[in-house]
Amino acid sequence: MTTYKRAVLVLGMHRSGTSALTRIINLMGFSAPKTLMAATEANEAGFWESEVFMDLDERILKACGHKWSSRKLMRDDVMAVARNAGLLDEVRRSLADEYGDAPDIVLKDPRISRLMAIYDPVLKKAGYRIVPMLALRNPVEVAASLTKRDGFDLGKGLGIWLRYTLDSEIATRGMPRTVISFDGLMADWRGTMERAGRQLGEPWPQLSPENLAEIDGTLKPGLRHHALPPPSRTSWRGFLAARTFDAMQRLMVDPRDKGACRSLDFVRAVFRPV
């Protein structure tokens, strides 16, 4: 009997429901990392991500001349930078330390959306089959959340959302993947995850009544702090965000939608953040 390991990667922008999605996947039988980030006022239900990987990924970005909120394209050979800085071996060690020999894991740090050039080969070499799940939320709501938490203006928030969304999409194009909307999770998490399983070709395990109840309790109405209209196309940044959001919603229906991919390629080509 052939056995394999699976690594669900929760990708996408900060403040897009990635924590709730990660917790759902964890309760569906995928191991969370050992060193979990503590809950904060910004996320009282917990982040369900590794503090070790968060710190490590930020150091990799810094070695590349970036930080989590950077909007510019990664132009360096990220793998070479990480290797030369001694961080590539640290990624490998951290994977083993945080997950041990768990066959099915869930790994979430939004920064990985920008660092798939490292995580894709490292996970595969460790024997994992990558299962990408791209979290999607209205970019105006994300930007409003960043304004409240970090003091960023709307334009900067939309720019960061564009960078993470574009990077995670192109990094997973051609893979079996699924796009998970925050609205979909809040409205019908069961139907949303059933669709995801079909698109990924993944047999999700039968959940216990206790786990079903815990997921229901995780998705409280209080998770939504902003309910706002989609981006206005009256500004250039708003136009790009709206076009990207529309294309990602099309990928939610069909992860291989060629027209949506062409639209995202256009945005990627013209997006020139400052």
Side-chain angles (χ1 to χ4, degrees):
M1 179 178 176
T2 301
T3 60
Y4 58 86
K5 300 193 293 183
R6 295 178 293 179
V8 172
L9 287 185
V10 176
L11 304 173
M13 177 58 191
H14 306 254
R15 317 304 295 165
S16 294
T18 55
S19 298
L21 176 56
T22 302
R23 180 54 172 158
I24 290 172
I25 297 164
N26 170 231
L27 289 169
M28 292 175 72
F30 290 76
S31 297
K34 178 177 65 177
T35 312
L36 289 174
M37 291 175 59
T40 67
E41 287 186 5
N43 199 338
E44 296 178 357
F47 293 89
W48 299 100
E49 69 183 76
S50 166
E51 188 170 350
V52 171
F53 279 111
M54 183 274 291
D55 174 73
L56 176 55
D57 293 340
E58 191 65 20
R59 285 188 285 131
I60 295 172
L61 288 174
K62 184 176 180 180
C64 294
H66 292 263
K67 55 184 178 180
W68 79 265
S69 57
S70 297
R71 290 155 285 175
K72 292 185 178 180
L73 190 66
M74 299 277 283
R75 298 196 178 278
D76 294 318
D77 181 337
V78 180
M79 180 70 87
V81 171
R83 183 184 297 109
N84 293 338
L87 297 172
L88 183 59
D89 285 339
E90 197 169 338
V91 172
R92 294 172 178 141
R93 289 195 302 271
S94 297
L95 184 64
D97 291 344
E98 287 294 284
Y99 293 101
D101 59 358
D104 291 323
I105 67 172
V106 57
L107 175 57
K108 168 236 173 181
D109 173 22
R111 296 164 185 81
I112 295 175
S113 301
R114 310 210 61 200
L115 299 174
M116 280 291 284
I118 292 173
Y119 279 88
D120 182 273
V122 166
L123 285 164
K124 287 176 179 175
K125 189 169 183 178
Y128 288 99
R129 180 165 60 82
I130 296 173
V131 181
M133 304 184 81
L134 281 61
L136 179 66
R137 187 178 183 184
N138 176 356
V140 178
E141 294 179 1
V142 171
S145 184
L146 294 178
T147 296
K148 180 178 179 181
R149 192 189 70 177
D150 302 289
F152 296 162
D153 61 37
L154 176 64
K156 182 172 182 177
L158 291 178
I160 302 170
W161 179 88
L162 276 164
R163 184 79 279 151
Y164 276 75
T165 304
L166 293 169
D167 284 6
S168 62
E169 187 281 320
I170 195 64
T172 58
R173 192 180 293 182
M175 298 181 185
R177 63 180 179 178
T178 190
V179 178
I180 304 291
S181 77
F182 180 67
D183 290 342
L185 279 184
M186 295 299 293
D188 177 18
W189 73 262
R190 289 172 175 82
T192 296
M193 295 307 292
E194 286 173 6
R195 171 184 58 79
R198 290 193 302 271
Q199 291 176 339
L200 292 165
E202 291 297 329
W204 300 132
Q206 188 73 29
L207 297 183
S208 68
E210 293 77 16
N211 282 3
L212 287 169
E214 186 161 357
I215 293 174
D216 287 335
T218 296
L219 299 174
K220 298 175 182 177
L223 282 178
R224 180 184 288 281
H225 300 292
H226 305 278
L228 300 169
S232 167
R233 296 175 182 255
T234 55
S235 70
W236 179 239
R237 188 64 55 82
F239 167 77
L240 295 180
R243 184 158 179 167
T244 300
F245 188 45
D246 289 347
M248 292 299 294
Q249 289 177 304
R250 290 168 63 186
L251 292 180
M252 190 164 54
V253 177
D254 177 3
R256 296 178 296 275
D257 187 303
K258 293 181 180 179
C261 291
R262 286 194 296 270
S263 188
L264 291 165
D265 289 340
F266 166 80
V267 176
R268 191 175 297 104
V270 300
F271 180 40
R272 296 286 184 271
V274 293

